[in-house]
Amino acid sequence: MAKKAKASSPFEGRWRIISMEMWGQDFVDAEVEGYIEFDEKGNGEFHFGYVHGYMDCRLTTREGNPAVEWTWDGNDEMDPAQGRGWAVVKGDELHGMILFHDGDDSDFVANRAKGKQAAKKK
C-alpha cells in the first residue's frame, strides 16, 4: 500500500521578521534581514539582531487554529542562549513570541520571505 503524502505545514519555509515588540527594525536587521524558518522535518532556525537559534518544532493548535511551538538553542552576542517560542498564521502573516530562558521575550510579526536566503547586510 502506498503511503499518503504528508500534508505540508502552513509554517514551512522562510519568514521575514517585519516587527518585534522589544526591538526596533534596525536591531532586528543588524547582521542579516531578520528571519524565522521552518523545514519539513520539524526543525527550524531564526536570526535577528545578534541572536541566532536552532529550533526543535512541534505542530499543535491554539484556540482551534494550527500553531507551531518550539524550543531553541543558540547564541546571543556569542553567549550561549536558549528558550522557547510559538507562532500562528493570521492571514498572510506569522504572529508569535520568542522567549529567552531567564531573560527577555518578544512578540514578533513576519511575512513570507521572497527568495531562499535572507539578504546579508552590507
Side-chain angles (χ1 to χ4, degrees):
M1 178 181 262
K3 288 185 178 181
K4 288 185 178 179
K6 183 180 171 185
S8 67
S9 160
F11 306 98
E12 196 174 306
R14 185 176 288 240
W15 298 79
R16 166 83 166 97
I17 299 173
I18 59 170
S19 71
M20 295 191 82
E21 172 191 26
M22 293 289 295
W23 301 285
Q25 200 64 36
D26 286 347
F27 176 79
V28 170
D29 296 336
E31 291 188 317
V32 300
E33 287 185 344
Y35 70 90
I36 186 164
E37 184 171 20
F38 304 93
D39 71 18
E40 70 282 353
K41 296 178 183 174
N43 300 306
E45 75 177 283
F46 62 84
H47 193 139
F48 64 88
Y50 305 103
V51 181
H52 188 206
Y54 294 97
M55 306 181 307
D56 178 19
C57 306
R58 299 290 185 272
L59 295 177
T60 186
T61 58
R62 282 183 175 253
E63 299 177 2
N65 296 310
V68 61
E69 296 178 350
W70 63 84
T71 57
W72 65 270
D73 189 48
N75 63 71
D76 179 4
E77 294 188 35
M78 300 308 292
D79 292 326
Q82 57 278 324
R84 60 190 173 88
W86 62 267
V88 295
V89 174
K90 293 183 181 179
D92 292 336
E93 295 180 331
L94 184 71
H95 291 250
M97 180 173 275
I98 294 176
L99 303 99
F100 289 75
H101 181 72
D102 283 336
D104 292 328
D105 57 70
S106 182
D107 291 328
F108 71 88
V109 177
N111 289 332
R112 285 226 180 254
K114 293 174 177 61
K116 175 98 173 118
Q117 297 293 325
K120 299 256 182 199
K121 294 294 281 188
K122 293 182 180 181

